[in-house]
Amino acid sequence: MTKPDDDRIAAALVGAWRLVSWTIEYPASGRVTQPFGAVPEGLLVYSADGHMSAALQRPGRARLSRADPSAVSDAEKATAFAGYLQYSGTWSVADGNVVHAVELAMNPNLIGTRQVRQVALEGDRLELGAEEPLEAPGQARRHRIVWRRARRSETGSAG
């Protein structure tokens, strides 16, 4: 049984969202990074039937040198991979958090995982947060991903 707040959050999430910023904070050092730069690009979609898809990228990614991706070098593929993040699956809201059950992902390590994100909604602004443990014992970093509701007439930079 869902809680009333979870139902309110779920209803507010349905639709499309454009990426505003993605920062990673390292509490132990105070360092803050922007994995895809100061103005990243992305689209997050939550469907009413419980499916979701997220795609984020560094703006201005270089095009591959060949039309056939299998004909480019491994180094070129790695560079393309490093500037892009995508996953999709199903979603639900529990205890005020949105939970992404990953079915497909560019990074195969995400497949089969549950990505739990803290939700902060204010008007057309959505902030998703997550703590990620690091390999060093007791170390973690915090992701802050800010989105704004997409407008029907809007297109991304790829047009």
Side-chain angles (χ1 to χ4, degrees):
M1 183 171 200
T2 61
K3 298 177 181 177
D5 240 17
D6 290 348
D7 291 339
R8 180 190 58 78
I9 292 168
L13 289 176
V14 171
W17 300 85
R18 290 276 175 197
L19 184 60
V20 173
S21 65
W22 175 18
T23 58
I24 302 176
E25 302 164 355
Y26 295 81
S29 67
R31 183 169 65 108
V32 177
T33 63
Q34 297 173 310
F36 289 165
V39 188
E41 299 170 338
L43 183 65
L44 172 63
V45 178
Y46 291 112
S47 71
D49 69 356
H51 290 88
M52 62 77 55
S53 182
L56 298 82
Q57 71 178 11
R58 176 179 301 284
R61 291 169 57 223
R63 296 179 63 82
L64 297 177
S65 61
R66 306 281 301 271
D68 178 0
S70 66
V72 302
S73 71
D74 288 344
E76 193 172 352
K77 289 175 194 172
T79 299
F81 179 90
Y84 188 78
L85 171 68
Q86 187 285 328
Y87 68 84
S88 59
T90 59
W91 70 281
S92 60
V93 176
D95 299 321
N97 298 311
V98 64
V99 180
H100 301 159
V102 181
E103 297 174 17
L104 306 168
M106 184 162 185
N107 177 348
N109 291 356
L110 290 176
I111 297 170
T113 66
R114 290 171 35 92
Q115 300 295 312
V116 178
R117 307 286 186 254
Q118 296 89 32
V119 175
L121 273 162
E122 187 176 320
D124 284 346
R125 182 182 184 278
L126 166 64
E127 182 177 318
L128 298 180
E131 297 289 328
E132 177 187 9
L134 298 175
E135 289 186 13
Q139 298 282 325
R141 62 186 187 174
R142 175 152 179 76
H143 294 262
R144 289 182 182 274
I145 307 172
V146 178
W147 304 87
R148 68 170 168 71
R149 188 166 298 280
R151 293 162 197 81
R152 181 178 295 272
S153 61
E154 175 179 54
T155 61
S157 65

